[in-house]
Amino acid sequence: MALIMDDVHRFEAARPRLAAIAYRMLGSASDAEDAVQETFLRWQAADVERIEVPEAWLTKVLTNLCLNQLTSARARRETYVGRWLPEPLLAGDPMLGPADTAEQRESVSYAVLVLLERLSPGERAVYVLREAFDYPHREIAEILDVTESASQQIYHRAKKHVADGKARTEIDEAAARRIVEVFLAAATSGRTEPLVRLLTQDAVAVGDGGGKVPARAKAFEGALAVATFMRGLFKPGDAKRAHVGGAPDIYATTANGGPAVLAVVDGRVVGIICLEVTPEGIVALRSQVNPDKLVRATERWAAADREEGPLHTL
């Protein structure tokens, strides 16, 4: 059925929330956009006048599309080249969604998105809807076609899985920049010891190149191994410049609310390293260099007003 303009406006008003739900569910901005667009097509085909609560209807359709996507994504990731990591989003990206509470900010942190990969699709849906968007279990149960008590049980199980893998501390933007500045100073010093002092003893480093860019799929483990790798990564070289098409400018930024290192060549984001920080130090460094997962970051970077220049050029 053809939509009248009011119905289109109603969907557009819901779009930011739907996109934020889909991104947390899927860990991919492009997949989230596809899910939202498919939701719109179903809204367009529906008898809208008979839908009593449009927001609930849209959320249910989107969530089920994401559940289907997650099920098929697991099969696809078995053939994914290297390590699959979520797509990082730069500060201010509307797809990051609400950030009014600590729970909302944490639910979209890069570290939590990585942990959500451990959950079943159903657990992930319940966790996202409850933790990030504060849906009551009654509504979650209706969205997922389960009982309210089952929704509560799934949520507690999912929250425990996520809590077991985290020991982070919340960091504001100014503190995140300072962390990146200190990290870059150590990484570009040419020595291993300054980096080791910043890392926890069980620190890990891993990367996602998607088979298109060389990346470390098997994690480096331990402070010394990670420090040695990072020292080499930030050592300038003609081969590296040739590979990315120039000398990367290195910036301090935030991605998914946490400290991040950004590598940019001629306005194109060629790498983002997300730092997971605990009170004891940096516990994980996750590098996203798959160009397919940096398109949105490049668009965001190009549109941003920046006062700060690069901290380093490789």
Side-chain angles (χ1 to χ4, degrees), residues 12 25 87 111 125 142 168 177 242:
E12 291 304 320
M25 286 277 291
E87 177 178 348
E142 292 174 358
R168 290 167 299 283
R177 181 176 177 83

Side-chain angles (χ1 to χ4, degrees), residues 200-224:
T200 62
Q201 286 303 305
D202 60 349
V204 297
V206 67
D208 177 351
K212 300 180 179 182
V213 175
R216 177 72 179 189
K218 180 173 171 44
F220 287 97
E221 298 181 354
L224 182 58

Side-chain angles (χ1 to χ4, degrees), residues 218-271:
K218 180 173 171 44
F220 287 97
E221 298 181 354
L224 182 58
V226 171
T228 302
F229 169 65
M230 285 294 158
R231 184 190 66 186
L233 187 65
F234 284 93
K235 183 178 181 180
D238 291 338
K240 293 177 185 176
R241 292 169 181 161
H243 188 76
V244 296
D249 290 325
I250 307 300
Y251 293 85
T253 188
T254 58
N256 294 75
V261 179
L262 196 74
V264 181
V265 175
D266 295 332
R268 176 172 52 91
V269 176
V270 297

Side-chain angles (χ1 to χ4, degrees), residues 58-112:
L58 291 170
T59 303
K60 183 180 180 71
V61 170
L62 176 87
T63 301
N64 281 288
L65 287 169
C66 289
L67 289 172
N68 293 337
Q69 178 82 350
L70 283 172
T71 301
S72 61
R74 292 197 168 194
R76 290 201 311 275
R77 287 173 195 172
E78 290 179 1
T79 60
Y80 190 83
V81 179
R83 179 71 169 267
W84 191 95
L85 290 175
E87 177 178 348
L89 298 182
L90 299 183
D93 193 312
M95 198 174 279
L96 290 170
D100 299 325
T101 67
E103 290 79 11
Q104 289 173 335
R105 291 188 292 273
E106 185 177 63
S107 71
V108 79
S109 71
Y110 202 70
V112 166

